[in-house]
Amino acid sequence: PAENPSSPPAPQAPSISSMQPALTPPNPRIPCPAASCSRSFTSTYLLSSHQRTHNDARPYPCPEPGCDKAYKWRSSLKEHKARHRLREVLSGGEASETKGVSRIFFSDGDGGFGVPGGLFRAHAGK
């Protein structure tokens, strides 16, 4: 039969994409408690890591005997420890025979044998 132009259109079932927002609860965000900060995070781990930007907490101390440095970030400690290994290799210590350093990346601020920000290569046993 021919459609009557004055009759309303037949109702259609809702699509999956139109139902999606109702099925997915919003991701709760945890705001940074610092008064001067407007950032928020999806986990307490991310928030606690971020809070180190607001304070002087340095939870990553250098394990090297006699070294009193500590760092806010694990990656910074890793770079620092690499400098200890390189110094040992260059001084002809035990590491030159057992650890074999092939690449050390330096960042500005901690010295690094006069090549801050550069790449220094040392080959063990040579």
Side-chain angles (χ1 to χ4, degrees):
E3 288 188 28
N4 183 349
S6 62
S7 64
Q12 294 183 346
S15 68
I16 296 293
S17 62
S18 69
M19 293 172 34
Q20 190 65 27
L23 298 175
T24 307
N27 221 358
R29 298 194 62 90
I30 307 162
C32 177
S36 62
C37 186
S38 62
R39 299 208 45 200
S40 64
F41 300 89
T42 57
S43 73
T44 54
Y45 170 79
L46 293 173
L47 172 62
S48 66
S49 178
H50 164 76
Q51 285 179 307
R52 280 179 268 166
T53 65
H54 297 299
N55 61 40
D56 200 32
R58 295 179 179 270
Y60 300 102
C62 179
E64 188 74 21
C67 184
D68 61 353
K69 293 196 175 206
Y71 295 90
K72 288 186 176 198
W73 318 112
R74 185 175 297 155
S75 60
S76 298
L77 174 61
K78 185 176 179 181
E79 287 179 22
H80 172 77
K81 287 167 61 175
R83 286 187 197 95
H84 279 297
R85 287 192 306 274
L86 180 61
R87 286 180 184 115
E88 192 173 348
V89 167
L90 293 178
S91 68
E94 185 180 322
S96 64
E97 297 172 9
T98 59
K99 292 184 183 172
V101 176
S102 62
R103 289 187 196 173
I104 302 293
F105 291 89
F106 290 90
S107 62
D108 293 332
D110 203 11
F113 301 99
V115 286
L119 171 66
F120 186 91
R121 294 178 186 269
H123 297 283
K126 295 200 178 200

